Amino acid sequence: MSDESAPNLKDARHVRGSRGRTRQHVERWPLTKLGGEKQLMAESKNGNGKPKTELLDELEKGPWPSFVKEIKSACAGSDSPKDLLGQLELSYQEKKGHWKHGGLVGVLGYGGGVIGRYSDVPEQFPKVAHFHTIRVNQPAGWFYTSEALRTVCDIWEKRGSGLTNMHGSTGDLVLLGTTTDQLEPAFQELARAGFDLGGSGSDMRTPSCCVGMARCEWACYDTMKICYDLTMDYQDELHRPAFPYKFKIKAAGCPNDCVASIARADLSIIGTWKDDIQQDDAEVAKYAAAGVNIQRDVCGLCPTRCMEWDGKKLTISNAECTRCMHCINVMPKALRPGKERGAAILIGSKAPIVQGALLSSVLVPFIPAAELMETIKELLSRLWEFWDEYGKARERIGELIQRIGMPAFLDGIGLEPAPEMVSAPRDNPFIFFQPAQGGDK
């Protein structure tokens, strides 16, 4: 086939995406047919020295914020964002990633906190040949002063690419892109400014929490105190990987779960209450008079149908309530969480990696707020001892429970089963009895 028949990299056809948006698809051709990598590199720069990003430019269109726009804005202060855009454009063209395994990089004394990243096309994009990420331990509740943020940004513009991610999925303040020789200087400057690194690898990841009692009236315990105390008490587990895999802890002050702990944390600490919902009938009447359809929007959407509205009086069967917060969210002036407050402990959620996604399962239905920290520390020691003994490499604790079964897991950590652990009635008619120690009972 002659070179004249080879498609031009600039030629593109538009196809309709699954959501009706137009996206650009570039016809690819082996680089050897186009004169090799040198020709591609020559065509990859425009007049101002920035890479041509015809495909990435499509991501700037539409009503939503674009990471491409943000990376382009960072090009004014650093050269590495330019090569980052160039490599990403190449990945979109070739439909494959160009980051290879980072190997082992880090800072003195720590086994985590740095994610190594190297380009597999360093000749084309030398400014991202090394592009390591540093995770910075965020303050509880993500409260920063503007001075603290400026300090971090000044350090990162000096030692790295200037690109940040506020925040990572675990909660860390993520600093994207630096070279191996700048890791230790960046760490030392961050430490002098009062910051520490977060977790990475097979360790306890950086604990995170919602704003809790600092700004939220629904908080059933002090999430920020729990988050801070856990961070300080488990520094060794946070910085020196020793587990089968990662372990995330997230603290939510109420069942609204603003940190999504039930879907993303190995140990979820979710605020709840034990007594009845506090109810103000006069305020309920005001909501009804203001046009709120209490029957449809409150009672009709209650997951356990524990509420009744007769047009004048709202009746709640608190024994049937699962503390979902829906009614309180609809009528916050009329309904409030009960006075006997604390938290429920759940175990085992994760995103899909080795296996599918898991939601947390109830482990301890209720712990009073005053006993929370002591109970969590005792529970963690049991969980980690059992997981360390029986967990496989890269097996989350939720996957371990799925593999061996909740009864064996509860027996292994010394907890008694509770009705709240059952998500649904059994559909298997076969029952297997296990004799108790000391004979049948």
Side-chain angles (χ1 to χ4, degrees), residues 132-151:
H132 310 312
T133 290
I134 296 178
R135 287 180 178 162
V136 179
N137 193 327
Q138 82 283 1
W142 297 287
F143 283 100
Y144 298 92
T145 64
S146 57
E147 180 182 0
L149 289 175
R150 288 191 181 96
T151 299

Side-chain angles (χ1 to χ4, degrees), residues 183-209:
L183 288 173
E184 188 65 29
F187 170 52
Q188 294 299 331
E189 290 191 28
L190 287 167
R192 286 193 291 270
F195 289 91
D196 197 2
L197 300 194
S200 70
S202 297
D203 61 10
M204 186 186 90
R205 298 298 178 86
T206 315
S208 65
C209 67

Side-chain angles (χ1 to χ4, degrees), residues 274-290:
K274 197 172 183 179
D275 54 347
D276 295 348
I277 294 175
Q278 300 182 66
Q279 181 175 340
D280 188 331
D281 290 331
E283 289 294 338
V284 172
K286 289 181 181 180
Y287 277 106

